[in-house]
Amino acid sequence: MELRICIDVDDMERAVAFYTQGLGLQVGRRFKSDFVELLGAGSPIDLLFNAPGSKPIASGPGSESVRNYGRHWTPVHLDFVVEDIDAAVARLQQYGAALEMPVTERVWGRIAGLADPFGHGLDVLEFKGRGYDEILHPH
């Protein structure tokens, strides 16, 4: 089974710059001006242009909702593992990310919480030692 991650954005070129220049992903295919595939993560990420105020679904529960690219919370977010978290955070901020949780030390490494320019939350992680295995089997 393949997992594809879809991210709605309201400015395709800004989104491409944020995810390629900010995180080091590469443009795969450009299907149309409103659909760009990004490669370089564990799963392809599809940037989908959808205008602010448009409805994400036509009917049923949630159909009264409209797209809003201000900061919003959802129980799903993306974690990007990086080699140098300080450089990644600085780069992402340069491309429009808002730092919401400064770099914090954990037993498994370091984490920072950000929001992309489209209101989506994301974390960057820098593992140390055995990464998450440090939680399961501490020294």
Side-chain angles (χ1 to χ4, degrees):
M1 177 184 314
E2 179 180 9
L3 172 67
R4 296 189 73 90
I5 299 162
C6 298
I7 301 176
D8 286 2
V9 300
D10 65 349
D11 182 332
M12 186 58 73
E13 293 314 310
R14 185 174 186 200
V16 168
F18 179 82
Y19 285 96
T20 60
Q21 301 300 313
L23 282 168
L25 300 175
Q26 303 89 39
V27 171
R29 299 172 284 183
R30 284 184 180 261
F31 296 96
K32 305 184 256 181
S33 62
D34 60 354
F35 181 0
V36 175
E37 173 187 62
L38 299 177
L39 303 173
S43 294
I45 296 175
D46 298 326
L47 299 176
L48 307 172
F49 174 82
N50 286 288
S54 62
K55 290 186 171 271
I57 56 176
S59 63
S63 61
E64 68 282 354
S65 298
V66 295
R67 287 181 175 85
N68 172 356
Y69 292 104
R71 180 62 171 115
H72 54 274
W73 183 86
T74 177
V76 176
H77 69 273
L78 302 178
D79 286 350
F80 292 93
V81 178
V82 299
E83 295 293 321
D84 181 342
I85 196 168
D86 297 308
V89 167
R91 222 175 21 256
L92 289 167
Q93 287 181 293
Q94 177 184 354
Y95 285 96
L99 182 62
E100 297 180 336
M101 181 184 73
V103 176
T104 304
E105 298 287 332
R106 303 286 170 88
V107 66
W108 48 262
R110 302 168 76 205
I111 183 172
L114 302 106
D116 76 4
F118 313 98
H120 309 300
L122 63 97
D123 291 339
V124 289
L125 312 175
E126 179 185 306
F127 289 126
K128 69 177 179 184
R130 297 173 294 129
Y132 286 148
D133 283 341
E134 296 288 347
I135 299 168
L136 294 174
H137 308 287
H139 291 290

